[in-house]
Amino acid sequence: MPSKKNEKNYRLIYAMLVICLLSLMFLSLFMGRYAVPPKAVVSILLDKILGITADCTAATVVWNIRMPRVLLCVMVGAGLSVAGASFQGIFQNPLVSPDILGVSAGAGFGAALGILLTSGGTGITAVLAFGFGLLSVLCAYTISKIKKMSSPVSLVLAGLIVGFFFNALISLVKLVADTDSQLPAITYWLMGSFANTTFAELAVVGPLIGGATVTLLLLRWRMNILSMGDEEAFSLGIHPRRLRFSIIALATVVTAASVMVSGIIGWVGLIIPNVCRMVVGADHKHLLPAAFFMGGIFLIIIDFIARVATVAEIPIGILTAIAGVPLFIYVYRYSGWGS
């Protein structure tokens, strides 16, 4: 049973993460190519809360452009991190990520197909991305059942097969896409971006990502039991297969919904849970909340760099890979992998 001193340390860590997250969210609202003074940002936010309409350029930039983008960054970063930590817990492998079952590849194919068929229609593209993301995991689950004695390892292998298949289909779509308009749109979308985010998109994906993420957080105690082994879980009144399937389904919804609105953003669900594990330990009671806040912090920082580093906005997927590699090396250096 954790001591009062340890619980106090955890509360301090959570408080620091919350303060850091809120501070970065506020900084992202007034810092950028169009600088808005902090006092003006506070005034704009208060006006919106009180229902006062402001038609100035600063209000449009802060509320209509930056606010939904910042909220989506936090939502996607937190969701992918929690999904990654959940996958790593149920598969008992720190190298598992949210797209291990092919959901990112499936959603990527759905989006590419939507752009090909509708010449960039966002509604159909988003629906196809989400639908094929769910379909890819369903295919992986079905393939894993071919063997009578299936296991979590079988599911991972089936996910790799499905991922390779949908990546091949993405290449096929690129091959037949128009090189002047459709191919650049597909390529840029697959690299990930939060540009042109709207409150309408948040209204669609918010319940999906938020609801699934909160449910995973509520299941974190059961994940601890699941990590003890199936026999121990049975003895404690938990059906391991049903719980594992529920966690996979929830994490898949988070990942598919994230890819649906922001494209493929790698490394977040792989690196952040491992960094959090070094800070708060492997207990899911503390690991998942820490991953929630740290994932949001990480993606806000990455998105800010994407907006201001160069004249043209850098795709998020490129920056997460650039930042993820040294973080991965650091985690590998100080972890017990391979020992």
Side-chain angles (χ1 to χ4, degrees), residues 181-255:
S181 58
Q182 294 175 334
L183 183 57
I186 292 172
T187 303
Y188 186 78
W189 189 92
L190 291 174
M191 290 188 290
S193 174
F194 291 108
N196 303 318
T197 301
T198 64
F199 282 110
E201 290 180 336
L202 286 175
V204 174
V205 301
L208 294 173
I209 300 178
T213 301
V214 170
T215 307
L216 287 173
L217 289 170
L218 294 175
L219 291 175
R220 62 188 187 276
W221 284 277
R222 292 176 177 264
M223 294 181 195
N224 285 334
I225 298 175
L226 195 62
S227 64
M228 299 177 184
D230 288 2
E231 293 184 2
E232 186 70 19
F234 266 122
S235 66
L236 294 174
I238 292 177
H239 196 294
R241 287 191 177 181
R242 292 177 185 173
L243 178 58
R244 192 175 288 114
F245 179 81
S246 299
I247 294 172
I248 289 173
L250 291 167
T252 298
V253 169
V254 172
T255 307

Side-chain angles (χ1 to χ4, degrees), residues 30-48:
F30 72 83
M31 294 181 66
R33 298 198 175 278
Y34 183 86
V36 181
K39 289 184 179 180
V41 172
V42 174
S43 177
I44 291 168
L45 295 179
L46 289 176
D47 288 345
K48 292 297 181 180

